[in-house]
Amino acid sequence: MNDVFSCPTVLSVAGSDSSGGAGVQADVKTISALGAYAATAITAITVQDTRGVQAVHAVPSEVVAGQIRAVMDDLCPQVVKIGMVNDAGTVCAIASVLKHYPQATIICDPVMISTSGHRLIAEEAVEMVKAELFPLCSLITPNLREAEALVGKPFDTLDDMKAQISLLRQWGNYAVLLKGGHLDGDDMTDLLLMPDADEPLLFQSEKVDSPNTHGTGCTLSSAIASLVAQGHSLPEAIRQAKLYVTEAIRQGADVRVGHGHGPLNHFFSPLPLKKFSLMEEKNLAGTHDKHEATSGQG
């Protein structure tokens, strides 16, 4: 009889992008390209292309909860990545279900405004994200505009980021990756504040000149989730994820998809599905217990 293996599994809870560059489509591409298995729970269906979002149709909250429950009970993903959630009822439904699965590492990318400026989340839902979802997380990954919406203060410079990143940790015992992609300059500078740290870690990468940056935030958070699911520490997962995103942007810069901001090249160098032996799976479970201990679930 052949040996049987398990694989690192990530559940993406996110909206669908009809153009395929962001949202759950970007998540599935990223997770697959990095050697993990992708499952999904669709929170909303968007009408969008590379030029912008025209409409958002929310999936009923009980259907979202049902998708999550089905995946968690059967596939038992090591990591849950949460992206766009459109309304407060769905936020509450997601949080209510995930409370029953404290063994999973939860990463939240608080998607609020599209690249084209379309608001993707109701105002009352933002408060529910802070009150209900963030306390369950091990990591949140806001960009500067999302950080401003969360704490009501501007994040215009690297000094602002360093001085105010701790404000983003007020809703739970989680790590914060504050993404500085909107800053001027030649570098992409992100800050990681771990739950037990007073000073943030700095991650820098080259800013690639490309019109094709649609779905960059979704891709980064999904890359982090994929690498954490494979047992990497959070700082190492972020380091490798940033390298992957930078190269995916570079490799997609000369590809034209649509007439606006095109997608990254997610499959510039895809990895085969990683397989775990039973012993490796036990060791991985111990790693995720450590991730859980740094989250609000503990």
Side-chain angles (χ1 to χ4, degrees):
M1 181 177 176
N2 293 332
D3 291 337
V4 176
F5 298 89
S6 65
C7 62
T9 302
V10 177
L11 169 60
S12 166
V13 182
S16 171
D17 171 11
S18 51
S19 75
V24 75
Q25 285 85 347
D27 294 346
V28 170
K29 292 174 185 178
T30 302
I31 295 163
S32 301
L34 290 174
Y37 183 84
T40 64
I42 309 297
T43 60
I45 299 169
T46 67
V47 178
Q48 69 174 296
D49 53 28
T50 61
R51 293 167 294 193
V53 179
Q54 288 82 52
V56 177
H57 176 73
V59 173
S61 59
E62 64 272 17
V63 176
V64 177
Q67 293 176 83
I68 296 171
R69 192 177 298 110
V71 172
M72 298 302 293
D73 287 345
D74 184 34
L75 278 65
C76 306
Q78 291 90 1
V79 182
V80 178
K81 175 262 167 98
I82 302 172
M84 190 191 91
V85 184
N86 182 247
D87 61 272
T90 302
V91 174
C92 291
I94 292 169
S96 179
V97 172
L98 288 179
K99 286 176 182 177
H100 296 286
Y101 304 96
Q103 73 278 8
T105 298
I106 299 175
I107 295 173
C108 184
D109 181 24
V111 179
M112 297 180 182
I113 302 170
S114 71
T115 303
S116 60
H118 188 100
R119 188 173 182 85
L120 299 172
I121 185 171
E123 186 63 40
E124 62 271 17
V126 176
E127 297 305 314
M128 297 306 297
V129 166
K130 292 187 286 190
E132 299 294 332
L133 277 187
F134 282 178
L136 302 177
C137 291
S138 292
L139 173 70
I140 68 170
T141 63
N143 63 31
L144 299 186
R145 303 292 83 82
E146 291 157 352
E148 290 175 8
L150 288 167
V151 303
K153 290 181 177 291
F155 287 77
D156 295 328
T157 66
L158 183 57
D159 287 340
D160 289 343
M161 293 172 65
K162 291 178 178 178
Q164 298 173 175
I165 187 172
S166 61
L167 297 175
L168 293 159
R169 207 172 55 182
Q170 63 184 283
W171 299 286
N173 187 33
Y174 48 78
V176 178
L177 180 66
L178 180 57
K179 300 176 296 189
H182 290 96
L183 295 178
D184 294 330
D186 296 329
D187 294 322
M188 302 286 286
T189 302
D190 301 338
L191 298 182
L192 172 65
L193 186 63
M194 295 293 285
D196 56 352
D198 294 323
E199 296 294 328
L201 301 173
L202 186 146
F203 294 84
Q204 282 189 311
S205 58
E206 175 190 354
K207 185 176 288 187
V208 178
D209 184 18
S210 171
N212 299 326
T213 56
H214 183 50
T216 304
C218 304
T219 298
L220 178 64
S221 55
S222 293
I224 295 168
S226 302
L227 292 158
V228 168
Q230 295 176 39
H232 293 285
S233 69
L234 196 51
E236 178 60 16
I238 291 169
R239 186 189 70 81
Q240 292 192 32
K242 283 183 64 65
L243 291 173
Y244 168 76
V245 171
T246 299
E247 193 59 24
I249 295 172
R250 192 191 322 278
Q251 296 287 345
D254 60 352
V255 179
R256 180 160 184 174
V257 177
H259 297 85
H261 292 285
L264 287 61
N265 182 355
H266 294 90
F267 292 107
F268 67 88
S269 183
L271 299 175
L273 181 69
K274 184 175 178 63
K275 297 179 181 180
F276 293 133
S277 67
L278 293 179
M279 182 58 67
E280 287 174 321
E281 188 174 21
K282 288 180 181 179
N283 292 337
L284 186 67
T287 300
H288 285 279
D289 286 342
K290 293 176 184 178
H291 281 299
E292 178 191 334
T294 66
S295 76
Q297 299 182 45

